Amino acid sequence: MTVPAGRVVADRYELSTLLGQGGMGQVWTAYDQRLDRRVAVKLLRPDKVAGADADELRRRFVRECRVTAQVDHPGLVTVHDAGSEGEELFLVMQYVDGADLSGHLAEHTPYPWPWAVAVAAQLCAVLSAVHAVPIVHRDLKPRNVMVKQDGTVTVLDLGVASVMDADTTRLTHTGTPVGSPAYMAPEQAMGGAVGPYTDLYALGAVLHELLSGDVPFSGSTALGVLHRHLYEPPLPVRRIRAEVPEPLEALVLRLLAKDPQHRPGSAQEVYEDLAALLPARGTPTAAALDPTRPFLRPHAPWPDRARTPAPQPAPAADAPAAEKVDVAATVDEVKRLLGEGRITQAVDILGALLPAAAEQHGERSPVVRTLRKQYAATLLDDGQYRRALPELRRLADERAAEAGPADPQSLRFRHDAAQCLEQLGDPAAALAEYRALLPYYENQYVTADGPGLAHEVRRRIGHLLLALGDRAAAHDTLVRLLHDVDRAQGPGHPLAAEIRRTLQWLGQVRG
C-alpha cells in the first residue's frame, strides 16, 4: 500500500510522517485541520485478510472503535475518529509523545527489573479496565505499548485485532496467523475461544522479554514459534538474571501457563501480586521515560465495585407520574438512531423506556416483550455483553415457559447468551450452554443458505475445547463436524474449508 505524504483523509486529516507499517496497514502522524492538532492515523486494508468480507469488516471495525472509545482509562490511547475511505479503514487516535516499549527496551538493556514491574503493573491497570467491558485486546506486545515522557504507559490498538481477526484460525495471504506469534497464547494460536486469560498470557510474554531481554519462545517460522508455545516450558528468568526476585519469576511462569485455567484469575489479581514489588513512594528522578515514576501515586486497577454493569438510565425524577409515554414515537426514534449507527444512544433510550412501557402496558404485554427483544439485541450489537446476558436469559426462560424448551426463539436467546459468556471470558460456562443446546439442533435440516445451527454450535464447542486446553477432544469434535459438513454441504463449503484450516493448523503445530 503506497500512501503519499500530504494526502488528506476524510477531508480533515493531512498525513505527515510515516511512523510504521505492516502487512495490513500503516501508521502516520497527521494534522487535524479542523482542530489544529497533531494526531496519529492508522490505515488498514481489509483485503489483506484471507477470505475477508470487506463490508463485514468495515461494519465490525466501526463497531469495535465505537465500543473501545467508551473505555475511559488514562492508560489507553484516546480514539478521536474512525471510518472508511475507498478501500481503506482509518482510525484516528491521540498522538502519544514517547517511545514504544520495544524501542525503550532496546535503549535500556538490561532493563532494570523494577522498571519491568512498573510497566507490567500499569498494563494490568489497563487490562483490568478493558476486561470489565468486556474487551479482549488479542495483540498485546511491546510495539502496541508506548512509554510517555512522564513514564506512564499507554496501550494502542485496542479492538483492532478482533476486527482484522474475525476468526482466529484465519491466515493472512502470507500464510502467517493474524496476531503476533511471539506473544500469542496457545488457545489463540489454535483457533480456540479467547478471553481475558489470553491477554494475561501475552502480558507474561512481554514481562519475560523485559526481564530476560528476549521473548520466551522464538523460531525461524511462525509455526515453529507456536509449536514451542504449545509444548515447551518457558525458561525461568532467574536462570538468565539471578537478581530477579523469586516471586516475580513465579508470576511470569503462572502467566505463561499452557492451560488458561492455571493462569491468574484476572489482571487485578496480577496487579496485587506485583504491588509488593513496586518501587517505594519517593521523589522521582528528572529523567523522562522512567516507568517507575507514576508509582509515587500508583495507577491501581479500578475497584471491584466499579466493574459492575452501568445502571440503566431512568426517566427524570420530576416527570409527571401520570404522563403517558409515546412508545411508538420513541421506537421510531430508536430505529432512526440505529440506522445512523448511534447504538449507544439507542441503548440508553430503550433502557429508560422499558420501565415506563411496562407500567403503561403491563410487564408481559406484546409491546414490552418486543421492546425487551430490541433492547437485548441492541446491547449485544453494542458489545455490552454483561448487560445483555441477564436480558437474554430472561427472554429465553419466559419463552420456554410459554412454548416449551425446544421453541426456536427460546433456543436463539440461549445461543446468544452463550455467545455473551464467551465474550465475558467464561469458556467453561459457554461450553456447558452450547452442549445443552446441541441436542435441540441435532435433527435440524441444513438450509440452502448454509449449515444449520447444529454445525455452528459444534464449531463453537470445538473452539471452546481448544480454549480450555483439551486439544484431543477439540480435534475429535472438529473431525466429526468436517465429515458431516462435507456430506451435507460438499467439501467446497466455506465452513468445511475453515474447519480444514483449523485441523491443518493443529496438525502442523503438533508435528
Side-chain angles (χ1 to χ4, degrees):
M1 177 171 62
T2 303
V3 179
R7 170 186 162 188
V8 178
V9 176
D11 296 324
R12 177 173 177 179
Y13 309 105
E14 182 180 344
L15 303 184
S16 175
T17 305
L18 181 63
L19 295 176
Q21 60 184 333
M24 289 183 288
Q26 299 178 340
V27 181
W28 290 75
T29 58
Y31 180 76
D32 184 344
Q33 297 176 336
R34 185 176 303 168
L35 295 181
D36 191 23
R37 64 179 174 182
R38 183 183 298 157
V39 295
V41 175
K42 184 157 195 168
L43 301 173
L44 299 171
R45 287 290 298 271
D47 60 342
K48 294 297 182 181
V49 180
D53 182 314
D55 290 337
E56 172 64 11
L57 278 177
R58 284 182 173 84
R59 188 192 71 80
R60 295 184 72 240
F61 176 77
V62 173
R63 173 190 171 279
E64 289 293 326
C65 290
R66 184 180 63 250
V67 172
T68 57
Q70 298 172 18
V71 187
D72 183 16
H73 193 277
L76 284 171
V77 69
T78 302
V79 175
H80 297 315
D81 196 5
S84 62
E85 185 172 84
E87 296 181 343
E88 296 169 333
L89 306 173
F90 68 85
L91 176 64
V92 183
M93 304 166 287
Q94 159 198 6
Y95 175 78
V96 179
D97 184 16
D100 72 55
L101 186 56
S102 178
H104 192 254
L105 173 62
E107 293 178 4
H108 297 88
T109 302
Y111 211 65
W113 70 259
W115 282 24
V117 171
V119 167
Q122 293 189 66
L123 292 176
C124 283
V126 175
L127 292 176
S128 181
V130 302
H131 290 166
V133 172
I135 297 171
V136 181
H137 191 290
R138 298 170 183 251
D139 196 21
L140 185 68
K141 58 185 178 183
R143 290 205 175 275
N144 279 339
V145 177
M146 297 290 293
V147 182
K148 296 166 68 175
Q149 294 295 329
D150 63 358
T152 56
V153 164
T154 301
V155 176
L156 312 176
D157 276 4
L158 181 63
V160 172
S162 66
V163 176
M164 300 307 287
D165 183 13
D167 190 309
T168 49
T169 64
R170 182 173 293 153
L171 305 182
T172 65
H173 290 313
T174 62
T176 58
V178 177
S180 305
Y183 308 93
M184 190 177 287
E187 68 274 5
Q188 184 179 9
M190 300 309 301
V194 299
Y197 43 83
T198 307
D199 286 342
L200 294 185
Y201 186 94
L203 175 65
V206 170
L207 189 50
H208 186 285
E209 183 177 8
L210 294 179
L211 292 169
S212 69
D214 200 2
V215 293
F217 304 108
S218 57
S220 57
T221 66
L223 283 174
V225 174
L226 294 176
H227 183 279
R228 298 187 67 191
H229 276 292
L230 285 162
Y231 298 110
E232 291 186 19
L235 181 67
V237 293
R238 281 171 52 83
R239 296 187 188 176
I240 304 169
R241 292 181 66 188
E243 70 269 24
V244 172
E246 291 183 14
L248 185 55
E249 178 187 71
L251 176 60
V252 174
L253 292 174
R254 286 176 60 213
L255 288 166
L256 291 174
K258 310 298 184 188
D259 186 340
Q261 297 188 79
H262 294 161
R263 297 171 204 157
S266 67
Q268 185 156 347
E269 181 182 322
V270 179
Y271 182 92
E272 298 302 331
D273 289 343
L274 291 167
L277 301 170
L278 287 170
R281 297 192 181 193
T283 303
T285 67
L289 300 172
D290 178 353
T292 63
R293 186 175 181 183
F295 289 93
L296 290 173
R297 298 188 64 83
H299 284 167
W302 296 345
D304 285 339
R305 63 179 178 273
R307 295 162 64 87
T308 56
Q312 294 183 8
D318 57 353
E323 183 178 344
K324 297 295 185 180
V325 176
D326 189 341
V327 174
T330 307
V331 169
D332 287 342
E333 173 69 4
V334 167
K335 290 180 179 177
R336 182 184 68 81
L337 292 170
L338 291 175
E340 296 175 0
R342 294 158 65 181
I343 298 179
T344 301
Q345 189 174 354
V347 164
D348 290 344
I349 290 176
L350 282 169
L353 174 63
L354 271 169
E359 183 177 350
Q360 183 173 325
H361 296 277
E363 186 65 45
R364 294 187 175 274
S365 68
V367 170
V368 172
R369 182 69 60 83
T370 299
L371 287 174
R372 288 201 177 280
K373 292 176 186 177
Q374 181 67 71
Y375 184 51
T378 308
L379 284 170
L380 198 64
D381 196 42
D382 200 32
Q384 298 194 44
Y385 305 108
R386 205 176 303 279
R387 293 173 67 183
L389 180 59
E391 297 291 337
L392 290 165
R393 283 174 165 165
R394 176 177 175 175
L395 287 166
D397 291 344
E398 289 179 355
R399 183 66 185 176
E402 296 170 356
D407 175 71
Q409 198 170 60
S410 176
L411 295 176
R412 187 73 237 181
F413 291 139
R414 290 180 61 186
H415 178 272
D416 290 345
Q419 288 187 313
C420 288
L421 290 168
E422 276 195 76
Q423 295 295 332
L424 289 167
D426 194 346
L431 178 62
E433 186 63 43
Y434 282 129
R435 280 175 163 167
L437 282 171
L438 187 57
Y440 294 106
Y441 292 137
E442 287 287 0
N443 296 322
Q444 179 177 338
Y445 291 105
V446 176
T447 68
D449 295 329
L453 276 173
H455 288 168
E456 193 271 338
V457 169
R458 289 168 65 188
R459 182 179 72 91
R460 294 313 312 153
I461 288 173
H463 284 202
L464 286 164
L465 287 168
L466 283 173
L468 291 168
D470 194 345
R471 297 188 195 111
H475 183 271
D476 181 59
T477 297
L478 294 173
V479 165
R480 286 186 284 111
L481 175 58
L482 178 61
H483 176 267
D484 292 344
V485 173
D486 278 348
R487 184 176 58 184
Q489 298 294 109
H493 191 273
L495 179 59
E498 178 185 307
I499 298 168
R500 281 194 179 85
R501 280 196 298 268
T502 303
L503 290 171
Q504 182 183 18
W505 188 269
L506 177 58
Q508 283 180 302
V509 175
R510 280 180 167 179

